[in-house]
Amino acid sequence: MGKKNNTFFCKECGFETTGWTGKCPSCGEWNTMVEAPITPKSSKSSTPTRTANQFSWTSQTTTVKLSEAQELTYEKKSSGIPELDTLLGGGITSGGVFLIGGEPGIGKSTILLQIANSFKSDGVVMYVSGEESASQIASRADRLDCNKEKIVVCTRTCFEEVAKELDSIKPSLVIIDSIQTLYSESITGTPGSVSQAREVTAGLVRIAKSNNLPIFLVGHITKDGNIAGPKTLEHMVDTVLYFEGENLGTYRILRSIKNRFGKSGEIAFWEMTDKGLMPVDNCQSLLISGHPVNVPGSTITSTVEGSKAIAIEIQALLTPTGYGNPQRMTMGLDRNRTTMLLAVTDKYLGLNTPSMDSFINVIGGLKVADTALDLAVICSIVSSVRGIPVKENTMIVGEVGLSGEVRPVSQLYQRISCAEQTGITTFVLPSSCQKTVEKIKQDNEFKYSSKNIDKKTKICDKIHSLEFVYVDNIAEAIDVIFS
């Protein structure tokens, strides 16, 4: 009798191994390894171009000079949602593969059903669901007022069967909900495992490229917030969209992490209603709408996401620690950089933060990595420790170095425009940005002086009505802000 070969994979990260272990060697989680018996490859025949693991992703097999390569013209069709078109680089590109990830219940299936309903095309939209029945999807479509005649639902999870349905129906758009539920009969392993997710995605990419068929994929996430499965899934697809924010609230943030057809880093704000996800118009001031007045530990700053700046609120709470080692908790900010800023405040401002627990949060659930927030974080820390609120209607930007100096920030024009739209009266920024601000003022005067347009004239007046305060180091900034 031959030896039975078994494989085990991690339910959290998808790591595979031939023997069971209590702790996953990849993600470090305990009791997540489950057994998946290795089955022989199926003898069922399938269309060669639809086999998940036989051919390259593209049909180009010859080596040519770049000057002789044929230039392809990608056709883009509107999704029917202008904010989503901006994230995708102008619309849904033919032959593009788009991956959407996010927390359970945050709205992935909802927005995809809205796309299926509003997609500008004469053909039908094929919705492949491995998690819900057709009646469940029809019930959601009724709630969202979707046109059910243009949407066909396929509840199969076998890749080869789904490929045959694509051949017969020939849809204009395909939605896979979710990629972790699909499996190929020619590949060993259970649905959601590393090998299945990688090869099935590769097969869908080949279908998309060879038929100029746009495909949307839903990706599950792990406990750490990353898309489940191998990282190669994100390398395979053309665009990666990710939902951020707290799924218990009414607002959602959709971020473009990767985009081969446009600019990555763009974000769009949505509001969850009984009619689905609705775009938010005035997103520049959305995250500071509930900003408390005259409360210590709260500051307003701006971060640039894609092509626009957004005003955000940073709150800090520092209290005497009751432990041997103080806690350092951050939400939305890099923990290591925040620890560095705490050390800078101790060195140059004389704060005794090592004896305090530190809790620093970006309101709204937005994750930011912009170094221009450094000075605002330090001001929040000082405000919380001293119990003094920051001056009202003040926006603070500036990168802070290890010697306490305030360094210049990029994309200053977008940040100033954001300050205008949010009712800011005082703008604190590095002294090295003074020439840039003067140039922006001169450009606005030249641009609007010969045009009698009321709206643009008001924008120009707002720029000149802002009070710009320039600082060189954090000690000077604290003196100015809290004086």
Side-chain angles (χ1 to χ4, degrees):
M1 180 178 179
K3 182 179 178 181
K4 183 180 179 181
N5 294 322
N6 290 338
T7 183
F8 297 84
F9 74 97
C10 176
K11 294 186 294 184
E12 291 296 331
C13 66
F15 177 80
E16 291 184 355
T17 181
T18 56
W20 183 86
T21 57
K23 180 180 180 181
C24 175
S26 177
C27 65
E29 295 293 330
W30 289 89
N31 299 323
T32 57
M33 305 298 294
V34 295
E35 181 179 358
I38 298 178
T39 57
K41 294 184 178 181
S42 174
S43 59
K44 293 183 179 181
S45 60
S46 59
T47 307
T49 57
R50 300 293 189 256
T51 303
N53 62 349
Q54 281 189 352
F55 302 98
S56 62
W57 297 356
T58 62
S59 58
Q60 185 77 33
T61 57
T62 58
T63 303
V64 297
K65 291 182 179 180
L66 186 59
S67 59
E68 300 175 357
Q70 182 180 3
E71 183 178 354
L72 297 178
T73 302
Y74 293 101
E75 180 184 1
K76 292 186 178 183
K77 296 182 179 179
S78 174
S79 64
I81 307 175
E83 287 75 9
L84 186 64
D85 289 343
T86 302
L87 288 179
L88 298 177
I92 299 177
T93 306
S94 59
V97 182
F98 311 91
L99 177 63
I100 298 182
E103 293 280 350
I106 202 169
K108 301 186 295 296
S109 300
T110 299
I111 195 170
L112 286 176
L113 196 57
Q114 291 179 238
I115 294 173
N117 178 60
S118 59
F119 181 58
K120 305 298 182 181
S121 179
D122 297 332
V124 298
V125 177
M126 183 172 176
Y127 195 110
V128 181
S129 176
E131 301 176 351
E132 297 178 291
S133 64
S135 58
Q136 286 178 295
I137 299 174
S139 177
R140 186 189 300 117
D142 290 334
R143 188 176 74 251
L144 301 178
D145 294 332
C146 295
N147 180 14
K148 295 189 289 186
E149 294 296 328
K150 63 177 294 187
I151 303 173
V152 295
V153 179
C154 175
T155 57
R156 300 178 183 179
T157 57
C158 177
F159 172 80
E160 286 76 16
E161 294 179 359
V162 171
K164 291 180 181 179
E165 289 295 316
L166 292 176
D167 279 334
S168 59
I169 296 177
K170 299 186 183 305
S172 59
L173 176 68
V174 178
I175 296 172
I176 308 293
D177 188 8
S178 63
I179 189 61
Q180 278 79 15
T181 61
L182 286 188
Y183 71 94
S184 174
E185 294 180 338
S186 60
I187 304 168
T188 58
T190 58
S193 62
V194 172
S195 58
Q196 285 283 4
R198 180 180 60 245
E199 299 303 334
V200 169
T201 302
L204 291 172
V205 171
R206 282 188 286 272
I207 292 176
K209 302 305 179 185
S210 59
N211 295 276
N212 284 330
L213 175 64
I215 299 179
F216 278 86
L217 310 176
V218 174
H220 294 169
I221 66 168
T222 61
K223 291 168 62 176
D224 295 332
N226 300 317
I227 296 178
K231 198 69 174 178
T232 49
L233 292 188
E234 299 179 42
H235 291 284
M236 289 178 181
V237 300
D238 298 304
T239 303
V240 179
L241 303 178
Y242 195 86
F243 273 104
E244 295 179 0
E246 301 173 356
N247 59 348
L248 298 179
T250 58
Y251 293 105
R252 306 288 191 269
I253 302 170
L254 188 60
R255 182 190 298 271
S256 172
I257 299 177
K258 170 189 175 182
N259 192 356
R260 289 174 178 165
F261 306 117
K263 186 176 182 180
S264 61
E266 295 282 353
I267 67 172
F269 287 83
W270 310 80
E271 183 179 5
M272 179 63 78
T273 66
D274 56 349
K275 297 298 182 181
L277 288 168
M278 299 299 173
V280 178
D281 295 330
N282 188 20
C283 63
Q284 284 83 0
S285 59
L286 175 65
L287 298 181
I288 62 170
S289 57
H291 172 63
V293 181
N294 295 325
V295 174
S298 176
T299 59
I300 294 178
T301 183
S302 66
T303 181
V304 177
E305 300 290 345
S307 59
K308 56 188 171 184
I310 299 171
I312 61 175
E313 178 188 354
I314 296 179
Q315 288 189 347
L317 175 63
L318 280 81
T319 58
T321 183
Y323 307 94
N325 295 321
Q327 299 184 68
R328 296 286 185 263
M329 303 291 293
T330 61
M331 294 293 292
L333 296 168
D334 180 61
R335 185 174 181 269
N336 293 330
R337 188 165 188 86
T338 304
T339 303
M340 181 198 75
L341 295 176
L342 287 169
V344 172
T345 58
D346 291 334
K347 175 71 174 179
Y348 299 102
L349 299 179
L351 298 183
N352 190 22
T353 59
S355 63
M356 300 180 181
D357 292 333
S358 303
F359 306 92
I360 304 175
N361 180 32
V362 177
I363 301 300
L366 183 67
K367 296 179 181 179
V368 293
D370 192 354
T371 56
L373 277 61
D374 291 351
L375 186 57
V377 172
I378 289 179
C379 291
S380 297
I381 294 171
V382 175
S383 176
S384 178
V385 173
R386 297 181 179 177
I388 305 174
V390 176
K391 182 181 177 181
E392 189 178 353
N393 294 329
T394 299
M395 179 174 286
I396 305 169
V397 296
E399 180 182 354
V400 176
L402 292 178
S403 60
E405 80 279 9
V406 182
R407 295 176 174 271
V409 297
S410 61
Q411 297 173 294
L412 192 58
Y413 180 79
Q414 288 90 330
R415 300 179 197 271
I416 294 175
S417 300
C418 176
E420 300 165 1
Q421 300 175 26
T422 53
I424 296 297
T425 57
T426 305
F427 199 99
V428 180
L429 69 165
S431 297
S432 52
C433 294
Q434 185 171 1
K435 291 184 179 180
T436 305
V437 173
E438 295 299 329
K439 186 176 184 301
I440 292 174
K441 290 182 179 180
Q442 293 176 3
D443 290 344
N444 278 273
E445 289 177 353
F446 176 78
K447 185 175 181 180
Y448 301 137
S449 59
S450 61
K451 297 182 180 180
N452 296 322
I453 301 176
D454 293 338
K455 183 178 180 181
K456 292 185 177 181
T457 303
K458 290 180 180 179
I459 293 175
C460 183
D461 292 340
K462 286 182 178 180
I463 292 179
H464 287 275
S465 65
L466 280 175
E467 179 187 357
F468 293 96
V469 179
Y470 303 101
V471 295
D472 293 315
N473 52 66
I474 59 173
E476 182 181 346
I478 297 303
D479 291 338
V480 170
I481 293 171
F482 295 99
S483 58

